[in-house]
């Protein structure tokens, strides 16, 4: 009986550790508006994304231990651009003011965050 109890407790402890590890690994949003977002990855690095009619950018702030680049792509009247990335700041420009939304992430396979311009005057 004692052996079975230890096995059940061991399985429960393992399940608890897996659950808390997964929860701790999630990104956390620090602030978000329609045209900007700021989030912290599980490796404690803060990223910022923003969009305007002439630009879309993602910036990786100093601090934390993330190895992932800043990634961005923009939506224009022609559709989505390709992803652009850089170790600190990725930016797409449109002098004609045709950007209406953008997507941002902190590594190639990371969570994608979207920003959008609601009114274009």
């Amino acid at each position: 009986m004692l052996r079975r109890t230890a096995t059940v407790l061991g399985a429960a402890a393992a399940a608890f550790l897996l659950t808390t590890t997964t929860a701790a690994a999630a990104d956390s949003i620090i602030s978000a508006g329609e045209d900007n977002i700021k989030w912290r990855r599980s490796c404690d690095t803060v990223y910022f994304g923003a969009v305007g009619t002439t630009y879309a950018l993602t910036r990786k702030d100093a601090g934390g231990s993330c190895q992932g680049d800043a990634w961005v792509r923009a939506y224009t009247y022609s559709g989505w651009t390709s992803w652009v990335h850089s170790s600190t700041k990725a930016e797409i420009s449109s002098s004609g003011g045709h950007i209406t939304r953008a997507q941002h992430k902190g590594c190639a396979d990371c969570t994608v965050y979207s920003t959008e311009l609601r009114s274009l005057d």
Side-chain angles (χ1 to χ4, degrees):
M1 179 72 169
L2 181 59
R3 183 179 177 134
R4 182 180 178 122
T5 302
T7 303
V8 170
L9 288 175
F16 174 76
L17 287 175
L18 284 174
T19 304
T20 56
T21 302
T22 303
D27 292 355
S28 60
I29 296 175
I30 296 169
S31 64
E34 290 178 352
D35 63 352
N36 66 79
I37 187 162
K38 190 174 194 176
W39 74 97
R40 181 183 315 274
R41 286 193 43 214
S42 60
C43 45
D44 213 29
T45 301
V46 174
Y47 288 78
F48 173 78
V51 65
T53 57
T54 60
Y55 70 93
L57 73 89
T58 304
R59 183 183 70 231
K60 177 182 176 181
D61 292 341
S65 61
C66 294
Q67 298 298 312
D69 284 359
W71 291 71
V72 68
R73 71 178 183 161
Y75 188 84
T76 67
Y77 298 131
S78 303
W80 285 104
T81 66
S82 296
W83 285 100
V84 173
H85 64 100
S86 170
S87 60
T88 57
K89 180 182 171 186
E91 188 168 9
I92 297 171
S93 303
S94 170
S95 60
H98 300 294
I99 296 175
T100 59
R101 54 189 158 172
Q103 291 185 325
H104 318 270
K105 58 185 179 176
C107 71
D109 299 323
C110 287
T111 302
V112 175
Y113 297 98
S114 298
T115 54
E116 184 172 358
L117 298 175
R118 292 291 179 181
S119 60
L120 298 174
D121 296 328

